[in-house]
Amino acid sequence: MPAGRMALLLRGLLLLTAWQANCSPNCPPGDRALGRCLPTAEERGTCVDNILGYCNDLPYSKTMFPNALDQQSRGEIEFSAEYILLSVIDNLLQGECNPDLRIVGCAVLAPRCEKNKMVKPCRRVCETLKKNCLPAFDAIDMAWPYFLDCERFFVGEEEGCHDPLEKLRVNIEITPEDLLTETPSTFIQFIHHSYSDMVRVLKKTAARCSQISKTYSIGRSYEGKDLLAIEFSAQPGQHKALTPEFRYIGNMHGNEVAGRELLIYLAQFLCSEYLLGNSRIQTLINTTRIHLLPSMNPDGYEHAAEEGAGYNGWTNGRLNAQNIDLNRNFPDLTSEVHKIIRMPMARLDHMPIPESYWDGKIAPEAKAVMKWMRSIPFVISGSLHGGDLVVSYPYDFSRHPLEEKMFSPTPDEKVFQMLVKTYVAAHPIMSDKSTSRCGGNFNNKGGIINGAEWYSFSGGMADFSYLHTNCFELTLELGCEKFPTEDELYSIWQNNKEAMLSLIEMVHRGIKGFVKDEHGNPIKKARISVKGIRHDITTGEDGDYFRLLIPGSYIVSAEAFGYSKVTKKITLPAKMLKAGRVDFALQRVDVKNRKFHKVAPEDIYERFDPLDRFDPHAQHGVAEQSEGGEESSRNGEKPWWWSYFSMLGHNRPSWLLKNDGN
């Protein structure tokens, strides 16, 4: 029997044991059905403690029986299909809508009880949940659960409802008074920010600079916190053709907090300086789209912050709430590159996510960032860490699996060198030649190091960013103390402010332009290749591209499936501080008798690029027999998730099957 199926059966036995333990010892199940038992306190409709294991984080402590589904006791609930669904929904939906679905479902199974009366959850909460999460159910061919029917089991505000997600969200309302200042000023409090403090500052900053800024969530943490980002650009909320995109990501490891605070400070600085008329900042924002994600791991931060600044250990809070190291949780594309690099026609860029990746445990934070990477054509990224003082760059995984410290450069080694040296040169401590300071052991390398030469690891975000997207990502180690005290934060800001701005400005190096057809229509996913650099970048939805290059002469080509290849020779002067404009016009060609070695048709490439669509549980061609010996459900097969309810026998939830006759 497969290990996964054995684990499910064991879970069923545990639930059955819990059910038997919670039935009245004086009332066998058969006697209950015959009405021979006196009603328990639960059955009389009085408030009792909520001790349901999967519902122990509701914003209330008292519930009552029977519930809205007429389930009479804790034992009956814990062995129900509804409860088992809530226990496995996070795995079934691959983290989508977690933990909202479970909590709202629990509010139905374990309703709020006040003064011995049931208080139902609000209908608006259910409607919002269904709008956001129904696509995730459709993706796995599962019907919306009947007990989440917004009309039957939820009520309106006028009937006295409650919001079961009230403790999950940080709702910050910015009032006009919050924005009133006599004159624009750059006033930053150099303090540590809790999650709610961070959200408040970012939203207040975006409201103050609403013409150039907005906040948005890229997803949720495992515990349901929004992964809140703030954007600065001339047109917030949309990509403008030929405007490069930059991102900073902080707090990937929850106990490495300097980057988190720096990005909160940077957001306030950009807003204030723009309003004050700082020409450098105004030019930067008007010509660049900047995204700041201060905390990728807010759950880990909360754990680290419990010990306080200056007292945190090396690992407390590093991992997310699933005990996953987020910087080891991305698809390992680097090992595949090292395997195929000697194959002349092998692609070393825009590599698809291996299907085997989805068999492992995937953090919702990592998945959210991967989707974010896909949705925006980032050019450069900086991931802010702590524990040393150095800037590292890909590859982070050694080209020899047995070598833990082996120089493993990418085809863009010279470009990465340009980027890391830009940051170090603007950082007064990193550029200091002293060997006794924090990070002094990297002094002989100029304060920079190739990641794999430092120490090799797979599943890192920087390698994934480079090999899966157009984006060049650096790892910025900001200091030897992971959780510095507040009196150190101002000096950390002063040391990194200029370096952070200088790195953002580097998105305007190299070349940029459009790839269009003979009629002037943009061609998306055309490939831009540079002779001698075995790493292509692709065009976006508008047909625009951004190719980072150091000064020099190059032969650059543009090609796309179904079009002719166009090649140009260009020269970038040494003192050129902005991207050169190089456009391409491609002619349509007959594809029947032509070979496109590096350019795959879009539909073929997408088929092996499964972030949004891949079903890790699919068992193609395997049909399951129903109890009557007949195959049921669509195409004569039960969906893959049906086995999760096998311990229920005839009581399996047919209401989750689409187009089911029951």
Side-chain angles (χ1 to χ4, degrees):
M1 179 181 292
R5 179 64 61 84
M6 177 64 73
L8 289 170
L9 291 177
L10 289 174
R11 175 181 291 175
L13 290 173
L14 289 172
L15 289 170
L16 179 59
T17 302
W19 174 73
Q20 292 173 336
N22 284 278
C23 287
S24 171
N26 299 319
C27 185
D31 288 352
R32 177 184 297 277
L34 295 174
R36 297 174 180 171
C37 304
L38 293 175
T40 63
E42 297 173 351
E43 295 167 332
R44 289 196 297 270
T46 58
C47 293
V48 297
D49 290 335
N50 171 32
I51 53 175
L52 289 173
Y54 285 108
C55 301
N56 61 2
D57 55 351
L58 292 171
Y60 52 87
S61 60
K62 297 292 185 179
T63 186
M64 70 181 303
F65 303 97
N67 61 19
L69 307 184
D70 202 33
Q71 294 166 331
Q72 301 293 321
S73 67
R74 171 193 170 194
E76 185 176 347
I77 291 173
E78 288 186 331
F79 200 60
S80 68
E82 294 86 355
Y83 188 73
I84 292 176
L85 173 64
L86 295 182
S87 73
V88 298
I89 195 66
D90 176 60
N91 186 40
L92 299 185
L93 298 184
Q94 287 289 305
E96 295 291 333
C97 299
N98 173 71
D100 305 44
L101 269 167
R102 178 181 57 79
I103 291 178
V104 173
C106 281
V108 176
L109 299 186
R112 186 171 191 155
C113 184
E114 294 179 358
K115 298 179 180 179
N116 294 330
K117 291 185 178 180
M118 182 187 299
V119 182
K120 292 186 176 182
C122 294
R123 183 173 293 122
R124 60 174 173 79
V125 176
C126 175
E127 291 172 344
T128 300
L129 184 74
K130 186 173 182 179
K131 178 182 178 182
N132 294 334
C133 301
L134 187 58
F137 279 82
D138 290 338
I140 63 171
D141 201 27
M142 178 183 283
W144 185 253
Y146 83 92
F147 64 94
L148 294 180
D149 186 319
C150 302
E151 295 298 324
R152 291 176 60 190
F153 302 109
F154 298 78
V155 297
E157 312 279 350
E158 68 280 358
E159 299 179 61
C161 64
H162 75 97
D163 180 359
L165 302 178
E166 60 184 348
K167 287 189 176 180
L168 196 61
R169 301 287 172 260
V170 177
N171 295 316
I172 305 296
E173 292 188 4
I174 304 301
T175 64
E177 290 74 17
D178 291 328
L179 306 177
L180 288 177
T181 55
E182 294 182 3
T183 58
S185 63
T186 302
F187 177 74
I188 299 173
Q189 287 186 298
F190 295 97
I191 60 174
H192 287 292
H193 294 80
S194 67
Y195 178 75
S196 58
D197 292 337
M198 177 187 72
V199 172
R200 182 179 295 107
V201 170
L202 295 182
K203 289 192 173 182
K204 183 176 179 179
T205 300
R208 186 182 178 205
C209 288
S210 58
Q211 74 277 22
I212 58 164
S213 182
K214 66 172 293 187
T215 57
Y216 63 97
S217 174
I218 71 166
R220 304 266 176 80
S221 71
Y222 183 75
E223 293 183 346
K225 298 181 183 70
D226 279 311
L227 303 178
L228 193 67
I230 186 168
E231 169 199 339
F232 292 89
S233 70
Q235 295 180 325
Q238 59 182 319
H239 173 71
K240 182 181 178 182
L242 293 184
T243 297
E245 311 242 5
F246 182 99
R247 70 170 182 261
Y248 273 127
I249 297 177
N251 206 204
M252 186 182 200
H253 293 139
N255 63 333
E256 298 173 10
V257 305
R260 171 193 176 102
E261 299 303 334
L262 284 179
L263 296 186
I264 296 173
Y265 306 156
L266 181 60
Q268 298 172 80
F269 177 82
L270 292 175
C271 172
S272 297
E273 291 299 304
Y274 189 95
L275 295 178
L276 287 169
N278 183 320
S279 60
R280 180 189 184 189
I281 300 304
Q282 289 183 340
T283 299
L284 187 61
I285 291 176
N286 290 335
T287 60
T288 319
R289 193 175 177 210
I290 304 166
H291 305 258
L292 311 178
L293 178 67
S295 184
M296 182 180 169
N297 186 4
D299 300 341
Y301 173 83
E302 294 297 322
H303 179 58
E306 290 177 358
E307 296 189 7
Y311 297 96
N312 186 267
W314 198 253
T315 59
N316 294 334
R318 174 185 175 91
L319 311 180
N320 81 336
Q322 296 168 283
N323 291 320
I324 293 176
D325 187 328
L326 299 182
N327 206 28
R328 308 293 188 274
N329 197 231
F330 285 80
D332 174 19
L333 306 180
T334 323
S335 59
E336 183 64 19
V337 164
H338 295 330
K339 291 177 185 176
I340 65 175
I341 194 168
R342 296 185 183 278
M343 300 169 58
M345 304 309 300
R347 289 173 55 176
L348 303 184
D349 55 79
H350 298 88
M351 300 180 66
I353 298 174
E355 292 188 3
S356 59
Y357 169 73
W358 302 101
D359 295 333
K361 193 174 182 181
I362 304 167
E365 297 90 345
K367 188 175 181 182
V369 168
M370 286 190 283
K371 286 187 174 182
W372 190 36
M373 290 178 176
R374 284 265 200 89
S375 64
I376 296 174
F378 293 111
V379 180
I380 299 176
S381 172
S383 178
L384 282 62
H385 291 253
D388 219 314
L389 192 65
V390 67
V391 181
S392 69
Y393 61 94
Y395 294 124
D396 283 322
F397 189 48
S398 172
R399 53 195 169 101
H400 193 294
L402 298 181
E403 292 290 340
E404 295 184 358
K405 297 178 181 293
M406 186 177 196
F407 178 61
S408 304
T410 70
D412 281 291
E413 168 70 10
K414 292 181 179 179
V415 173
F416 275 114
Q417 285 273 342
M418 174 181 70
L419 298 179
V420 294
K421 289 178 179 178
T422 296
Y423 197 93
V424 169
H427 193 292
I429 307 301
M430 287 184 181
S431 57
D432 188 335
K433 302 301 182 182
S434 171
T435 58
S436 60
R437 61 170 175 82
C438 170
N441 51 314
F442 298 102
N443 186 46
N444 63 335
K445 294 183 177 295
I448 65 176
I449 192 168
N450 172 260
E453 187 178 9
W454 186 11
Y455 62 93
S456 175
F457 67 92
S458 62
M461 183 167 67
D463 282 10
F464 175 80
S465 178
Y466 177 70
L467 291 173
H468 190 68
T469 74
N470 290 330
C471 186
F472 291 56
E473 180 164 294
L474 310 182
T475 300
L476 312 172
E477 298 282 348
L478 302 175
C480 292
E481 195 170 352
K482 287 177 176 280
F483 204 133
T485 57
E486 286 191 344
D487 60 357
E488 300 174 87
L489 294 177
Y490 177 71
S491 61
I492 293 174
W493 163 250
Q494 287 294 99
N495 290 335
N496 286 277
K497 177 180 68 174
E498 178 59 32
M500 288 192 295
L501 295 175
S502 297
L503 184 59
I504 297 174
E505 291 170 332
M506 293 303 289
V507 294
H508 298 284
R509 298 299 178 92
I511 59 175
K512 67 179 181 180
F514 286 109
V515 178
K516 298 182 178 181
D517 64 18
E518 62 266 39
H519 304 295
N521 300 311
I523 302 175
K524 69 176 182 178
K525 295 193 177 179
R527 299 178 69 85
I528 306 298
S529 56
V530 180
K531 186 176 181 180
I533 302 178
R534 198 176 167 188
H535 186 88
D536 299 346
I537 59 98
T538 58
T539 56
E541 294 291 327
D542 300 313
D544 58 339
Y545 75 90
F546 308 87
R547 209 324 171 181
L548 295 173
L549 294 168
I550 66 171
S553 296
Y554 300 93
I555 296 176
V556 184
S557 300
E559 57 183 322
F561 185 79
Y563 294 88
S564 61
K565 180 178 179 180
V566 174
T567 300
K568 296 184 177 183
K569 185 176 182 180
I570 65 164
T571 298
L572 297 176
K575 296 183 178 181
M576 189 171 181
L577 300 181
K578 64 179 182 179
R581 179 73 178 268
V582 182
D583 296 331
F584 294 89
L586 308 187
Q587 302 288 324
R588 285 191 176 274
V589 296
D590 183 4
V591 300
K592 292 181 180 179
N593 298 316
R594 291 176 61 90
K595 293 183 178 180
F596 294 83
H597 295 293
K598 294 195 296 180
V599 185
E602 183 177 329
D603 62 333
I604 294 177
Y605 180 69
E606 291 293 333
R607 195 182 311 158
F608 293 93
D609 200 7
L611 180 58
D612 297 314
R613 293 179 302 281
F614 182 68
D615 177 359
H617 302 281
Q619 297 178 4
H620 304 290
V622 179
E624 182 178 327
Q625 296 284 329
S626 66
E627 285 79 4
E630 296 179 356
E631 295 175 353
S632 60
S633 194
R634 191 175 304 173
N635 298 325
E637 297 181 8
K638 291 289 189 183
W640 57 265
W641 46 262
W642 190 244
S643 62
Y644 276 63
F645 305 94
S646 59
M647 78 287 292
L648 295 175
H650 292 280
N651 295 320
R652 283 191 279 187
S654 58
W655 37 268
L656 286 176
L657 297 173
K658 289 188 173 183
N659 300 330
D660 189 80
N662 295 329

